[in-house]
Amino acid sequence: NIVGESKKIDYIKKLAYKASKTNSTVLILGESGTGKTILAKAIHENSKYKDKPFIHVNCGAIPETLLESELFGYESGAFTGASKEGKVGYFEMADGGTICLDEIGDISLNLQVKLLQVIQDKCFYRVGGNKTINVNVRIIAVTNQNLEEEMAKGRFREDLYYRINVFPIWIPPLKERIEDIYPLVDMILPKLCKEIGGENKRISAEALNLLTRHSWPGNVR
């Protein structure tokens, strides 16, 4: 269901299919708007985990002070304002399935240590807890950052990088696969016509030429 007919996107589809048949941690790289999260979900839906949960976590959208408790959960009274019942974290929710860690490059160094432990040992402690929680979860990490540059700057742990960079997939920007504009237009134009309640329209050759000459800084999004 990934839209595109270029050689580059065809190669991405083949890589993603291979990734879906393994248990390996996958690292999806690419500029913002290239469809990294869509590809992550497609890998899950074509894997043996497809009937299990797919939990998407945008690590960059959750405040750093809350991210640990969101990922790993917390016990009753773990901190001021904590629920009396405690809380199940995203890793527990994803048990048996896939957790997609979007914008993994935004995670703090302290939390990277705990994440490394989960990847290595498949277990962790809730915030404020002393009971080991074991999970069987497939990790797909997603980022638009250059993690090797982040490592050189001391903002991303080298050991974590090599743990998540087991099966890397890089999605090229739209400007490098401009021939995919045609199938994207074929998919998007009828949807737009339906959304605004108008009759179906076609796009002129002149308009298509303009679209193919655009640099598309926002990519597919």
Side-chain angles (χ1 to χ4, degrees):
N1 294 327
I2 305 296
V3 177
E5 299 170 357
S6 64
K7 287 183 178 179
K8 289 185 177 181
I9 207 68
D10 188 50
Y11 178 65
I12 296 300
K13 290 180 184 181
K14 288 177 180 176
L15 278 181
Y17 180 76
K18 288 181 179 179
S20 72
K21 304 307 171 189
T22 73
N23 297 325
S24 300
T25 300
V26 178
L27 176 60
I28 302 178
L29 305 152
E31 292 180 6
S32 180
T34 49
K36 300 183 295 295
T37 303
I38 291 172
L39 189 69
K41 193 162 189 180
I43 290 171
H44 169 78
E45 290 174 347
N46 284 275
S47 71
K48 66 181 182 181
Y49 307 104
K50 62 184 178 181
D51 297 322
K52 302 294 183 179
F54 175 84
I55 304 296
H56 174 259
V57 187
N58 188 336
C59 301
I62 302 173
E64 185 180 332
T65 52
L66 295 177
L67 187 55
E68 182 177 4
S69 61
E70 291 293 313
L71 286 174
F72 305 111
Y74 59 81
E75 297 294 351
S76 173
F79 50 85
T80 303
S83 168
K84 291 181 180 179
E85 293 79 30
K87 183 179 179 182
V88 172
Y90 289 128
F91 268 95
E92 284 180 80
M93 291 181 192
D95 191 25
T98 302
I99 187 166
C100 176
L101 298 175
D102 203 348
E103 304 303 344
I104 194 171
D106 292 340
I107 294 179
S108 68
L109 287 170
N110 287 337
L111 200 49
Q112 287 177 32
V113 176
K114 192 161 185 177
L115 185 56
L116 180 66
Q117 179 193 353
V118 177
I119 296 173
Q120 289 179 164
D121 304 329
K122 301 291 185 183
C123 66
F124 58 89
Y125 297 98
R126 285 184 180 179
V127 175
N130 53 19
K131 177 185 175 184
T132 302
I133 296 175
N134 297 290
V135 288
N136 177 23
V137 62
R138 202 271 184 84
I139 295 172
I140 300 180
V142 175
T143 185
N144 60 10
Q145 296 188 35
N146 185 324
L147 294 184
E148 291 184 359
E149 285 184 2
E150 293 299 296
M151 279 195 302
K153 294 173 183 176
R155 293 199 290 251
F156 201 84
R157 291 180 62 95
E158 187 174 350
D159 46 6
L160 178 59
Y161 173 72
Y162 289 116
R163 279 289 181 179
I164 62 175
N165 191 29
V166 179
F167 200 123
I169 301 176
W170 179 72
I171 305 180
L174 188 54
K175 65 184 178 184
E176 292 185 14
R177 46 186 179 93
I178 211 71
E179 58 268 47
D180 287 335
I181 290 293
Y182 301 104
L184 284 167
V185 167
D186 287 341
M187 178 194 73
I188 294 168
L189 187 59
K191 285 186 177 182
L192 290 176
C193 293
K194 187 175 180 180
E195 282 176 14
I196 64 173
E199 59 186 51
N200 286 336
K201 298 181 183 296
R202 291 186 297 170
I203 192 165
S204 69
E206 183 183 6
L208 267 176
N209 285 334
L210 285 170
L211 292 177
T212 57
R213 291 202 297 270
H214 187 55
S215 63
W216 299 103
N219 292 297
V220 179
R221 185 184 293 132

